[in-house]
Amino acid sequence: MKEKVFRDPIHNYIHVKEPIIAQLIDSKEFQRLRRIKQVPTTSYTFHGAEHNRFSHCLGVYDIARRVTEIFEQQYADKWNPEESLITMVAGLLHDIGHGAYSHTFELLFETDHEAYTQEIITNPETEVNAILRQVSPDFPEKVASVIDHTYANKQVVQLISSQIDCDRMDYLLRDSYYTGTSYGQFDLTRILRVIQPVENGIAFAKNGMHAVEDYLIGRYQMYMQVYFHPASRAMEVLLQNLLKRAKFLYQNHPQYFQQTSPNLIPFFEKNPSLANYLALDDGVMNTYFQSWITSEDSILKDLASRFINRKLLTSISFDEENASQLNDMIKLVRQTGFDPDYYTGIHINLDLPYDVYKPKSNKPRTQIDIAEKDGSKEELSALSPLVASLSGNIHGDRRFYFPKEMLQTDDLFTQDKVNFQKFISNGHLTSTP
Ligand code: ZN
């Protein structure tokens, strides 16, 4: 096959030499990813972030391709070249099961993008599966096992999913670029020079330790400044409440949804097929939201309009100590005339930026190891005071969302207004931009 290239703002040229990779990119399940935004609600805060899953998946593939090429050329004693294709394919397909507004959608309809990723790869009805079977009959299952971490070769598994993997390296650089922020930038070229296969995993040469450190700090800052931004989360809460209202109304008005939003019916009915799942994308969903703006139901109509027109809920942060006051807040929301079921939301975003391997935790992490010249290994936070300060510590916040209008209705409160104002003057209130 003649080499194909894809022009990419992060990696410049993405090179495709293997016919299997080219065919997978052309499959309809992979092309669908063009219609799924990478960070759907973040794009309402950082307007440049309109990029899609398609470009991210290509990017993960390209990092996997570069790493395996280096491993083949420089570490022939520790890397089996037969593992290169599966690493590239798993990188390309790792997010193939993502759907429109994945995280919010999953919460409401109990779907799971990881389970769909497995299904798209292993179900004989998909184009992806037919292409993978050309390699060998058991290749689809093998690829699926890399993605669910059960594949025997841990070097491959760690390249696709660990605390420093091809997935994270691509999305940090990509989201940083498209949001127009600089937090997620790090020296990928340097990391690719120091990454190496070791027995049962991967490690990084000591002279590249600061590049790895920089990657972890970049990741931490992207979570705090970009992914956890209160305005993006306000859009998630709105979306969640909008879908919740639609789900509720469907019970008594199925014909309305037949007319305006037929592709959602299998999800309301809790029996979606794979084909139903693949028929949804951001465009389909946004068209439905647009059509709900003319609904006769005042709540559905209002929430759809708020979502489409970016009329955000506002929020206050809270912690365990003042969580009990939320009940008072909910009472106030109701008194103001808003149904708290659809006009409030609790949104908790917490992240553990880095942790060492803890075999007893329920999700043990693969730690980042630094390789010395003599072949011995040391865990990263033991060498880096910066990483040690992040290691094992959870960061993030809990926010309570409510209608912005409440901040403007002075005359609606008598006694209760005092509490509310106290809440604000205590410094808990952060009005979203
Ligand atoms: Zn990904």
Side-chain angles (χ1 to χ4, degrees):
M1 182 190 118
K2 192 171 167 282
E3 186 186 82
K4 268 191 171 183
V5 287
F6 292 80
R7 195 81 196 224
D8 182 69
I10 309 304
H11 306 300
N12 197 6
Y13 280 127
I14 290 178
H15 299 261
V16 175
K17 297 171 190 160
E18 308 283 343
I20 290 293
I21 301 286
Q23 287 178 42
L24 286 170
I25 294 169
D26 286 340
S27 70
K28 65 179 181 194
E29 294 88 14
F30 195 82
Q31 290 292 319
R32 182 188 70 103
L33 300 178
R34 289 183 186 272
R35 306 190 298 275
I36 311 273
K37 273 194 215 170
Q38 175 73 9
V39 282
T41 49
T42 297
S43 67
Y44 286 92
T45 309
F46 299 91
H47 65 260
E50 292 282 330
H51 56 303
N52 55 41
R53 292 261 164 212
F54 179 89
S55 68
H56 163 61
C57 289
L58 274 186
V60 177
Y61 150 76
D62 196 59
I63 297 177
R65 179 191 64 78
R66 286 152 78 186
V67 172
T68 53
E69 225 168 72
I70 294 166
F71 284 5
E72 283 184 24
Q73 287 164 7
Q74 296 175 23
Y75 301 96
D77 54 331
K78 294 198 188 93
W79 176 256
N80 176 356
E82 284 176 15
E83 302 287 7
S84 295
L85 181 65
I86 193 167
T87 309
M88 290 187 278
V89 169
L92 186 73
L93 300 180
H94 78 286
D95 273 347
I96 192 126
H98 259 288
Y101 299 105
S102 277
H103 298 294
T104 317
F105 193 88
E106 288 181 3
L107 219 63
L108 256 288
F109 296 110
E110 292 162 34
T111 54
D112 174 359
H113 71 269
E114 287 173 12
Y116 276 114
T117 293
Q118 301 286 327
E119 197 177 345
I120 293 166
I121 292 171
T122 55
N123 187 321
E125 286 166 24
T126 66
E127 292 186 7
V128 160
N129 180 271
I131 297 161
L132 296 174
R133 268 183 284 128
Q134 293 171 31
V135 179
S136 68
D138 63 346
F139 195 59
E141 299 294 337
K142 278 186 179 169
V143 173
S145 75
V146 174
I147 294 168
D148 79 4
H149 305 171
T150 54
Y151 189 60
N153 184 315
K154 295 305 165 208
Q155 296 168 329
V156 177
V157 173
Q158 282 184 32
L159 285 175
I160 302 305
S161 179
S162 61
Q163 298 194 88
I164 179 161
D165 58 29
C166 302
D167 178 26
R168 291 178 179 196
M169 288 197 269
D170 183 79
Y171 76 63
L172 290 177
L173 292 174
R174 194 167 296 279
D175 296 346
S176 167
Y177 174 86
Y178 282 100
T179 51
T181 60
S182 59
Y183 311 111
Q185 298 294 328
F186 61 92
D187 193 349
L188 175 65
T189 317
R190 183 79 192 136
I191 288 181
L192 294 183
R193 274 195 72 80
V194 296
I195 189 169
Q196 48 187 258
V198 291
E199 183 160 358
N200 247 330
I202 53 170
F204 299 83
K206 197 169 183 183
N207 58 7
M209 186 184 89
H210 296 297
V212 177
E213 202 174 51
D214 196 31
Y215 152 90
L216 280 176
I217 305 294
R219 183 188 175 281
Y220 163 74
Q221 291 186 325
M222 280 297 279
Y223 272 80
M224 295 305 121
Q225 303 278 345
V226 175
Y227 302 133
F228 288 0
H229 197 287
S232 317
R233 291 155 66 190
M235 287 299 284
E236 273 179 48
V237 172
L238 258 182
L239 179 63
Q240 194 180 324
N241 291 351
L242 172 63
L243 290 171
K244 186 161 123 188
R245 184 65 180 175
K247 201 172 154 186
F248 169 78
L249 290 174
Y250 175 76
Q251 297 164 7
N252 294 319
H253 306 280
Q255 63 295 353
Y256 174 74
F257 293 93
Q258 288 285 1
Q259 281 163 8
T260 60
S261 30
N263 290 11
L264 278 177
I265 307 267
F267 298 90
F268 292 139
E269 296 278 358
K270 293 188 182 165
N271 59 0
S273 65
L274 178 59
N276 294 145
Y277 186 76
L278 294 171
L280 282 182
D281 58 38
D282 291 352
V284 171
M285 295 285 277
N286 290 341
T287 307
Y288 292 171
F289 302 155
Q290 191 70 255
S291 71
W292 294 346
I293 289 184
T294 56
S295 162
E296 282 172 11
D297 179 74
S298 60
I299 294 180
L300 188 73
K301 177 188 171 129
D302 182 50
L303 292 176
S305 168
R306 283 173 190 252
F307 186 77
I308 290 285
N309 299 309
R310 195 190 178 277
K311 298 285 178 253
L312 302 179
L313 298 174
T314 192
S315 65
I316 46 174
S317 64
F318 67 94
D319 48 37
E320 265 132 35
E321 281 159 40
N322 56 21
S324 60
Q325 292 182 52
L326 292 184
N327 288 333
D328 296 338
M329 294 286 293
I330 289 169
K331 238 188 265 167
L332 291 177
V333 171
R334 196 185 300 281
Q335 282 169 16
T336 320
F338 292 102
D339 182 340
D341 275 351
Y342 299 108
Y343 285 90
T344 68
I346 286 174
H347 197 287
I348 301 172
N349 259 160
L350 299 171
D351 176 56
L352 176 58
Y354 177 73
D355 208 357
V356 297
Y357 174 64
K358 288 176 182 157
K360 281 186 186 153
S361 89
N362 54 359
K363 269 192 183 169
R365 295 192 172 205
T366 312
Q367 64 190 25
I368 299 179
D369 284 330
I370 299 298
E372 304 275 358
K373 281 209 174 89
D374 64 4
S376 64
K377 285 187 299 184
E378 193 148 12
E379 186 276 316
L380 176 63
S381 68
L383 294 169
S384 160
L386 260 179
V387 175
S389 71
L390 285 179
S391 184
N393 291 320
I394 291 172
H395 297 265
D397 70 352
R398 301 164 175 83
R399 305 194 79 84
F400 174 74
Y401 283 87
F402 59 96
K404 219 174 210 166
E405 289 89 330
M406 289 193 60
L407 300 177
Q408 295 147 10
T409 51
D410 289 5
D411 53 333
L412 279 170
F413 307 117
T414 49
Q415 191 56 35
D416 286 328
K417 183 182 162 194
V418 179
N419 289 338
F420 191 48
Q421 290 300 346
K422 205 158 69 182
F423 219 88
I424 297 169
S425 58
N426 279 349
H428 292 293
L429 188 88
T430 322
S431 197
T432 49

